[in-house]
Amino acid sequence: MNDMNELKSTINALAVAGKGILAADESIGTISKRFAALHIPCTEETRRNYRELLLTTPDLEKAIAGVILFEETLGQKTSKGISFPELLKQNQIIPGIKVDKGLVSLPGTDEKSTQGLDGLAERLQAYKKQGARFAKWRAVFAITDKTPSRLAIQTNAEDLARYAAICQANGIVPIIEPEVLIDGTHTLEQCFNVSEAVLNCVFHKLYKHQVLLEYIILKPSMVTSGKDCTVQANHQAIAEATITMLKRTVPAAVPTINFLSGGQTPLEATQNLNAMHQVQPSLPWNLSFSFARALQEPCMAAWLGKGENVRIAQEIFLKQAKMNSFASLGKYV
Ligand code: 13P
């Protein structure tokens, strides 16, 4: 298969109406924090046990088309000795891999950029041999009176585009994740303006780097009020603002947009996604989810690191995945 056919078959398997992508790619630092909040010890084995719980959930493929894994998980096996990417493949779920190497400060600003471009092509080839068919790179933008700066927007957009071009050259579908952070006191309108500026710049850079829009997944944040804003926008306002912003910035050639949950509660994220389909039933792109916390939080809290809780935690996880599958069709009630 040449690279284009590879990209095509991967995107066709991921951009499916009624299905989303599970982000289970927390770095060791991030999963340590999530486990610590529930007093679950964080070791290579507890991380493996937890990922096994998620990935062996019966019927997961009915709601989930792909799973983003962390590098450690890509190389781990189930207790029956099947590698996690192989297990997913057997269940018709596409394995993906987080490839960025986290945030660093952007000199001259109080802002961040994302590292991981050096040696990326070689890493992608190795991940591909382990079974990964798509990748993820996250950039963040904080809203304050002074940020995001023009420099931060341009630099992060450029890096996202370079990453995406390298992925496609290696037959890997890139998830492009420009996250406008929910932290802060900003209004819905401020979030709208920042999101519009960021996505506008990202698509300009994707064009410059000749990224084929037909073979990307956009993973944006929803347009919401800041977490500490005194006036909180409702689902309808969030849905309308998000759809208007996306229609202004994302070309129709993009096959699928899969939101991150970004610190919304699981229920808020589901209801907001559902509301978008109700305000605009016909959209140029598939509009779905690629949540981490909004899919996993109730399940992790039910598991608590204990073998005897695995079955109930899997039931809760599947319920969460199915609720979001319904929301991605505007059918959550
Ligand atoms: P959340 O849904 O928890 O925001 O995570 C999505 C993600 O993949 C962050 O990179």
Side-chain angles (χ1 to χ4, degrees), residues 12 45 70 82 86 110 140 144 169 185 203 232 266 274 283 311 333:
N12 286 345
E45 189 54 14
F70 184 60
I82 307 168
E86 182 55 33
D110 293 329
V140 300
T144 67
T185 55
F203 281 95
Q232 288 292 314
N274 194 60
L283 291 164
R311 274 187 64 149
V333 277

Side-chain angles (χ1 to χ4, degrees), residues 23-26 34 68 98 136 138 177 179 219 259-263 290-295:
D25 60 328
E26 296 84 357
R34 309 263 187 269
I68 316 167
K98 168 192 170 75
K136 183 190 103 170
R138 172 175 177 257
E177 183 179 6
E179 176 171 2
K219 176 163 171 166
F259 292 103
L260 59 95
S261 57
S290 174
F291 302 152
R293 281 165 288 178
L295 280 170

Side-chain angles (χ1 to χ4, degrees), residues 184-329:
T185 55
H186 55 270
T187 60
L188 181 84
E189 193 185 10
Q190 281 175 289
C191 183
F192 181 99
N193 290 336
V194 168
S195 303
E196 186 180 27
V198 165
L199 285 190
N200 195 292
C201 188
V202 166
F203 281 95
H204 177 67
K205 300 286 187 185
L206 291 174
Y207 173 73
K208 273 181 62 177
H209 286 267
Q210 300 179 37
V211 172
L212 298 169
L213 298 185
E214 288 78 4
Y215 310 119
I216 68 164
I217 294 169
L218 179 68
K219 176 163 171 166
S221 32
M222 298 181 191
V223 176
T224 64
S225 323
K227 228 180 177 142
D228 301 320
C229 179
T230 45
V231 184
Q232 288 292 314
N234 63 23
H235 303 308
Q236 172 93 11
I238 290 171
E240 279 171 4
T242 305
I243 295 292
T244 304
M245 185 280 294
L246 290 173
K247 282 174 108 179
R248 285 188 188 173
T249 53
V250 185
V254 173
T256 186
I257 298 176
N258 293 64
F259 292 103
L260 59 95
S261 57
Q264 301 179 63
T265 66
L267 188 59
E268 280 167 354
T270 305
Q271 290 176 328
N272 287 334
L273 176 60
N274 194 60
M276 288 180 214
H277 287 278
Q278 309 211 309
V279 298
Q280 268 286 347
S282 126
L283 291 164
W285 346 263
N286 185 51
L287 196 73
S288 187
F289 59 92
S290 174
F291 302 152
R293 281 165 288 178
L295 280 170
Q296 296 183 48
E297 259 173 17
C299 159
M300 197 187 284
W303 174 56
L304 292 175
K306 299 190 173 122
E308 66 266 29
N309 295 338
V310 166
R311 274 187 64 149
I312 181 77
Q314 285 185 327
E315 278 170 28
I316 290 169
F317 177 51
L318 185 66
K319 186 169 159 240
Q320 208 60 34
K322 284 192 170 165
M323 274 168 49
N324 286 298
S325 156
F326 282 122
S328 73
L329 298 167

Side-chain angles (χ1 to χ4, degrees), residues 5-52:
N5 285 337
E6 238 176 348
L7 294 172
K8 198 177 272 181
S9 81
T10 302
I11 200 76
N12 286 345
L14 289 169
V16 178
K19 291 195 188 186
I21 296 171
L22 163 66
D25 60 328
E26 296 84 357
S27 63
I28 294 177
T30 302
I31 194 118
S32 299
K33 266 193 261 162
R34 309 263 187 269
F35 279 7
L38 296 166
H39 310 289
I40 303 169
C42 193
T43 65
E44 193 177 333
E45 189 54 14
T46 57
R47 293 191 292 273
R48 197 206 62 76
N49 285 340
Y50 178 62
R51 267 70 186 248
E52 174 159 358

Side-chain angles (χ1 to χ4, degrees), residues 57-84:
T57 295
D59 290 337
L60 190 62
E61 70 281 0
K62 294 192 176 147
I64 299 291
V67 179
I68 316 167
L69 302 169
F70 184 60
E71 192 176 28
E72 178 185 65
T73 319
L74 195 71
Q76 285 178 325
K77 294 182 173 159
T78 65
S79 44
K80 292 188 181 141
I82 307 168
S83 80
F84 284 127

